[in-house]
Amino acid sequence: MISINEAIDTVIGAVRRLPAEEVPLLEALGRAAATAIVSPEAVPSFDNSAMDGYAVRGAELEAGRREFRVVVEIPAGRWVGEEVGAGEAAKIMTGAPLPPGVDTVVQVELTEQRGETLVVTEPVLPGANVRRAAEDVAMGDVLFPRGARLGAAEIGLLASVGCQAVAIARRPRVAILATGSELRPPGVLLAPGQIRNSNSFTAYGQVLAAGGEPVLLGIARDDLGETRRLLADALEHDVVITSGGVSVGEFDFVKQVQDELGVERRFWGVATKPGKPLAFGTRGDTLVFGVPGNPVAAMVSFEMYVRPALLALQGRHDLYRPYVFAAAEEPVARSRDRTEARRCRLLHRGRGWSFTTTGPQGSGILRSMALADGLAFVPPEYPGAAPGVELLVMMLEGSSAERPPFPGGRSATP
Ligand code: AMP
Ligand code: MG
């Protein structure tokens, strides 16, 4: 069994970035820039007023002049080409272009106007309250590197420089296949011994949240022929996620069928709990994940390995979840030969972080995941400890370019 870190690096090493496509600006929201984006315009594109007030010559204020003659009024959007001369002022609104001749705006609160005469009542520094052309963005500036995630602020910035379309990596198409003769979808009566298929639903949400396009292929019964037929369909996508059937049970056919269909195995078995029997391979550029069937194991495996791969396919650089070191609020139960990912809630206490686990931690107890906002990693062979011990906690929201230094190495135990 390889370590968590080795497993992640192997997966990311197998990723080939997907081709880019040009889309209208709003469609790029939440996706990754396929190229570095260079600004075609400057922002602001002209010197303008940051305040409602009066534009004057700063040197005259500095020389002690307090009275000016108001010669023009400039609302936002109106261009005035005539120079404002010595001893003169332009009444000006926020965002309006500065006319030639003046370089300073006195905010209206520091003035009195009597007829055409402006009186400045408080000292103002030369150059104050002016937004200079290109002070935010210069033409030709690199706005974002390739791979940057385009959130609301980035899309707004692109709009502010006049971009109408942007090249982004296409969404990975992700086939989701549940395996297990015991599985039934919601809405169908359960016969004795049957359970609900929940993994397809959690995977659907996780794929969508990672920018992928989920394609539900249903449930394969534990039957060689059916598994082969559905996995063959799944392999036509960029990424395949099967859940279940990947352990050492009598009816665990997923690995065998992967082999038959030409999937090249990169690893099977990660020294972690839950999530040990993860099988990862590739066929051509298709990434093939066989995640374990237990609902928590399936979700945790997705978080640890599939999500970074989906982001890397889209050319993102922030592949990983942010992490903190947090103090346990309760005793930390001992672990055996594998690093254990305990579902937890993070709390901010004074200066640092602490965490508390979300109830029973069995790998079938999906509620432990629903209540969690982090995964606390207990190193292997951990003897257990009183509250206060600090562990690495990976958050279940957000993105970061740094892979957390997960504890634990390889394990010889089968
Ligand atoms: P397996 O890895 O196929 O042995 O499955 C391990 C456990 O997870 C078994 O209890 C399965 O019934 C359960 N399981 C497998 N697939 C799913 C699924 N899609 N939804 C919910 N539970 C599942
Ligand atoms: Mg099964």
Side-chain angles (χ1 to χ4, degrees):
M1 278 190 285
I2 62 173
S3 71
I4 296 174
N5 295 315
E6 284 173 294
I8 294 173
D9 292 347
T10 303
V11 168
I12 297 307
V15 171
R16 301 283 161 269
R17 247 181 340 120
L18 292 171
E21 59 192 12
E22 182 101 351
V23 300
L25 185 56
L26 283 176
E27 273 176 42
L29 185 64
R31 300 174 66 188
T35 59
I37 302 180
V38 171
S39 180
E41 295 176 3
V43 182
S45 58
F46 50 86
D47 291 351
N48 67 87
S49 178
M51 295 276 184
D52 295 324
Y54 296 86
V56 298
R57 300 183 171 203
E60 291 193 288
L61 284 175
E62 205 168 33
R65 180 188 278 278
R66 289 293 174 265
E67 295 198 358
F68 297 83
R69 192 164 64 85
V70 180
V71 293
V72 63
E73 185 172 315
I74 313 176
R78 175 158 158 227
W79 185 261
V80 170
E82 302 90 65
E83 181 167 320
V84 175
E88 295 179 342
K91 188 168 189 184
I92 195 164
M93 309 306 143
T94 304
L98 241 62
V102 290
D103 57 8
T104 303
V105 172
V106 182
Q107 59 264 52
V108 72
E109 293 87 346
L110 308 184
T111 65
E112 283 166 27
Q113 189 176 344
R114 301 179 197 130
E116 282 195 349
T117 304
L118 163 74
V119 180
V120 177
T121 56
E122 303 274 342
V124 173
L125 288 176
N129 304 318
V130 173
R131 299 189 284 222
R132 294 272 163 220
E135 77 176 17
D136 184 1
V137 178
M139 195 190 297
D141 271 1
V142 176
L143 291 177
F144 312 112
R146 186 178 84 181
R149 181 181 178 278
L150 304 176
E154 288 80 3
I155 295 294
L157 188 53
L158 288 169
S160 78
V161 297
C163 284
Q164 279 185 289
V166 41
I168 55 172
R170 124 176 126 64
R171 291 181 188 280
R173 300 186 66 233
V174 184
I176 298 170
L177 179 61
T179 74
S181 299
E182 74 280 27
L183 301 176
R184 290 290 178 275
V188 174
L189 274 184
L190 293 182
Q194 297 182 335
I195 64 162
R196 301 288 181 198
N197 165 23
S198 59
N199 289 348
S200 297
F201 292 79
T202 50
Y204 187 97
Q206 289 181 304
V207 168
L208 211 55
E213 187 185 310
V215 180
L216 291 172
L217 295 186
I219 301 166
R221 281 170 298 161
D222 294 318
D223 169 89
L224 257 181
E226 185 162 307
T227 307
R228 200 181 289 126
R229 184 170 60 74
L230 285 166
L231 190 63
D233 285 350
L235 284 166
E236 301 305 315
H237 299 73
D238 300 311
V239 179
V240 177
I241 307 172
T242 61
S243 67
V246 78
S247 199
V248 290
E250 200 69 26
F251 300 97
D252 288 343
F253 294 132
V254 166
K255 281 177 37 245
Q256 179 186 336
V257 172
Q258 284 182 356
D259 293 343
E260 288 175 14
L261 294 174
V263 175
E264 184 191 332
R265 174 132 330 107
R266 303 298 183 100
F267 63 78
W268 177 56
V270 184
T272 180
K273 180 184 171 187
K276 174 172 93 167
L278 174 71
F280 171 68
T282 52
R283 195 183 77 171
D285 284 344
T286 298
L287 307 175
V288 186
F289 295 90
V291 305
N294 271 306
V296 176
M299 282 199 84
V300 169
S301 300
F302 185 99
E303 268 294 328
M304 306 285 299
Y305 313 103
V306 187
R307 180 180 175 277
L310 295 186
L311 297 182
L313 280 167
Q314 296 167 77
R316 288 262 290 267
H317 299 308
D318 53 336
L319 306 183
Y320 304 106
R321 294 297 197 186
Y323 67 93
V324 293
F325 285 90
E329 297 256 312
E330 66 225 11
V332 177
R334 63 193 298 275
S335 69
R336 304 240 297 248
D337 58 334
R338 295 175 272 152
T339 299
E340 294 190 15
R342 307 233 168 108
R343 280 73 70 202
C344 68
R345 281 206 79 80
L346 278 163
L347 310 146
H348 202 70
R349 290 246 191 266
R351 292 214 196 91
W353 290 99
S354 65
F355 72 88
T356 170
T357 46
T358 54
Q361 296 283 304
S363 62
I365 301 175
L366 200 47
R367 181 192 272 274
S368 69
M369 200 65 195
L371 294 173
D373 58 12
L375 297 175
F377 286 86
V378 183
E381 321 293 358
Y382 194 75
V389 59
E390 292 218 325
L391 294 179
L392 187 155
V393 178
M394 175 181 122
M395 300 183 182
L396 291 171
E397 289 289 343
S399 286
S400 154
E402 186 196 353
R403 168 160 68 61
F406 292 106
R410 294 172 163 235
S411 169
T413 332

